[in-house]
Amino acid sequence: MGKELKKKIVISAVNFTEGGPLTILNSCLSYLSKDLSSEYEVVALVNSKKMFDMPNIEYIEFPLSKRSWLFRLYYEYYYFKKLSDKLKPHLWLSLHDMTPNVTADIRAVYCHNPSPFYTLTLKELILEPKFALFNMFYKFLYSINIKKNSFVVVQQNWLRESFERIFGVKNVIVAYASDPTEPKSVPSIGKEKGTFKFIYPAFPRVFKNVELACEAFKLLEENGITTCKLYLTIDGTENRYSRYIHRKYSKLTNIIFLGNLKKEELYKFYGESDCLIFPSKLETWGLPISEFKMFNKPILAANLPYARETVGNYDKVKFFSPNDPKELFEDIMGFSNGVKIFGKNTMPFPAQPFSRDWRELFGIMLRER
């Protein structure tokens, strides 16, 4: 008898080329390469083969996938059907939100974009009109074929509840993001005596709620408080929203616009900062919270489900209203005056199906049913 052929796992991520999505893809392929390639044949659909060097994986390139949405839609809803008929996968996992037309024993989609679940204000609509269109478009894309999946994968329990409520799906796995890598060392960037450094690392999007943090520091300056400084990772050139923020708050002496930082530079600022401020109104996970927790320092975070779930079990956190700059102002005042404002957050794991890493996630998806 001939050698039995391995079953195939197809990972589709043709538009992942940078940032958090690329990190997710790399960690996924790294796990498959090391732990499942002896049992399964792994095929990765990627934008460019040059970006990956994991062994035991077959890469298929789709360099046109990011050139326009027309190419993307063509691949997802037409070409991948023919490709799946050829590859005959046991599991097809689409890592980028859309559920393609494919044939597979097990179909799964990883949904990491929370924008369809956010309601914009008129002001936010004016500042970032593309986000409003993206919001509506993604809600439509999510709905296409979603009930054909064996599993829908999301990063937090509040997203599971949203998908169950809006799309009527019941097979939703909550898959927590892998813990960030701890820094090997944190070089000093200097510490001003008698000052308190607060950092908010975020790309300027309207839902990041940068204005609320700035308003709190405006109140500090108006009240003659000069010991607290806010460091932002924007510089006013990124987009319309950042220009608005920079124009409105750049005259304040207690707000420093750093611009985008590389990971090593950001970790330096984490090391010298006294507290993280995270007022964002919408996140799939909230990675800076996880990163800052490694430094075991206080965190001021928006009182929203995503933040409580990301913070998890931690004893140096205070949650504030993401709509009330005065509350954040008072929290900052209390912290700088030595008041014990921080407490413990306890968060139980979500109900099953739930995974803490790629091993558990693939274990759920590949389990005989």
Side-chain angles (χ1 to χ4, degrees):
M1 295 179 64
K3 186 178 179 181
E4 185 178 349
L5 294 175
K6 294 180 182 178
K7 291 181 178 180
K8 286 183 182 177
I9 295 174
V10 173
I11 305 297
S12 176
V14 295
N15 68 324
F16 284 7
T17 58
E18 59 187 357
L22 183 59
T23 300
I24 290 174
L25 175 57
N26 272 315
S27 63
C28 175
L29 295 182
S30 177
Y31 167 74
L32 291 171
S33 174
K34 294 176 183 176
D35 293 82
L36 285 187
S37 60
S38 61
E39 186 178 353
Y40 294 90
E41 184 179 342
V42 181
V43 180
L45 314 184
V46 298
N47 185 265
S48 172
K49 295 179 183 178
K50 296 178 181 179
M51 302 176 68
F52 308 94
D53 59 2
M54 270 78 76
N56 309 314
I57 293 177
E58 177 187 351
Y59 297 96
I60 303 177
E61 286 185 311
F62 293 86
L64 300 179
S65 60
K66 293 199 73 172
R67 186 168 296 183
S68 79
W69 269 99
L70 290 178
F71 282 112
R72 178 79 185 282
L73 295 173
Y74 166 76
Y75 291 139
E76 299 285 354
Y77 300 131
Y78 178 74
Y79 181 78
F80 285 168
K81 177 63 169 68
K82 296 197 296 182
L83 183 62
S84 68
D85 289 340
K86 177 182 177 181
L87 295 175
K88 295 179 171 54
H90 180 56
L91 166 65
W92 183 295
L93 171 60
S94 175
L95 282 181
H96 37 40
D97 302 314
M98 299 168 69
T99 304
N101 286 326
V102 295
T103 301
D105 299 328
I106 304 167
R107 297 169 59 176
V109 61
Y110 193 119
C111 298
H112 57 85
N113 192 315
S115 62
F117 312 111
Y118 185 71
T119 302
L120 283 87
T121 64
L122 178 59
K123 182 179 180 180
E124 291 170 337
L125 178 60
I126 294 170
L127 286 171
E128 197 172 351
K130 286 185 178 180
F131 180 64
L133 296 175
F134 195 67
N135 183 307
M136 293 183 288
F137 184 49
Y138 245 80
K139 191 170 185 178
F140 170 69
L141 287 180
Y142 271 150
S143 67
I144 300 174
N145 295 335
I146 193 167
K147 291 188 177 181
K148 294 182 179 180
N149 288 293
S150 307
F151 301 101
V152 175
V153 184
V154 299
Q155 286 189 316
Q156 291 201 331
N157 198 58
W158 76 268
L159 274 171
R160 170 196 272 167
E161 292 172 353
S162 297
F163 271 84
E164 289 175 342
R165 183 181 69 255
I166 295 173
F167 301 110
V169 290
K170 302 297 181 185
N171 48 347
V172 185
I173 304 171
V174 176
Y176 274 4
S178 300
D179 290 333
T181 303
E182 292 193 24
K184 295 180 180 178
S185 63
V186 184
S188 174
I189 60 168
K191 172 74 175 159
E192 296 177 46
K193 188 176 181 180
T195 63
F196 295 89
K197 290 183 177 180
F198 298 79
I199 187 165
Y200 180 26
F203 185 80
R205 306 292 303 277
V206 290
F207 58 83
K208 292 292 184 178
N209 207 16
V210 180
E211 189 172 5
L212 180 124
C214 292
E215 281 294 316
F217 277 80
K218 181 181 177 182
L219 287 171
L220 287 166
E221 188 157 301
E222 289 173 350
N223 283 271
I225 309 301
T226 60
T227 56
C228 301
K229 295 186 182 298
L230 173 64
Y231 291 81
L232 300 174
T233 57
I234 65 176
D235 61 18
T237 64
E238 295 88 351
N239 52 32
R240 183 186 297 183
Y241 180 57
S242 72
R243 289 193 295 273
Y244 163 76
I245 293 294
H246 189 268
R247 184 170 60 249
K248 188 173 181 180
Y249 299 105
S250 59
K251 293 182 180 179
L252 295 177
T253 59
N254 60 0
I255 298 180
I256 295 89
F257 291 85
L258 299 171
N260 184 48
L261 299 177
K262 294 180 180 179
K263 182 67 73 176
E264 298 79 11
E265 296 171 323
L266 177 60
Y267 274 34
K268 290 179 185 179
F269 276 90
Y270 283 158
E272 292 298 331
S273 296
D274 297 286
C275 182
L276 173 75
I277 292 179
F278 207 78
S280 178
K281 293 182 179 181
L282 180 71
E283 297 290 332
T284 302
W285 183 255
L287 181 59
I289 293 175
S290 297
E291 292 172 339
F292 202 77
K293 278 178 62 179
M294 295 188 297
F295 292 83
N296 197 33
K297 294 183 179 183
I299 295 172
L300 288 167
N303 190 10
L304 292 170
Y306 86 81
R308 289 187 173 275
E309 200 163 351
T310 305
V311 168
N313 299 319
Y314 197 60
D315 60 2
K316 295 183 178 67
V317 63
K318 170 70 166 61
F319 296 100
F320 60 88
S321 168
N323 301 307
D324 186 359
K326 187 176 180 182
E327 182 182 343
L328 178 57
F329 157 74
E330 291 172 348
D331 287 340
I332 295 168
M333 283 280 292
F335 174 51
S336 63
N337 288 326
V339 179
K340 294 183 179 180
I341 66 169
F342 298 101
K344 186 175 183 180
N345 182 65
T346 303
M347 182 61 62
F349 286 135
Q352 292 294 334
F354 163 71
S355 69
R356 290 167 291 185
D357 52 34
W358 289 110
R359 180 186 64 81
E360 290 186 1
L361 177 59
F362 279 98
I364 293 170
M365 293 189 294
L366 295 170
R367 188 180 301 148
E368 292 296 331
R369 291 174 293 136

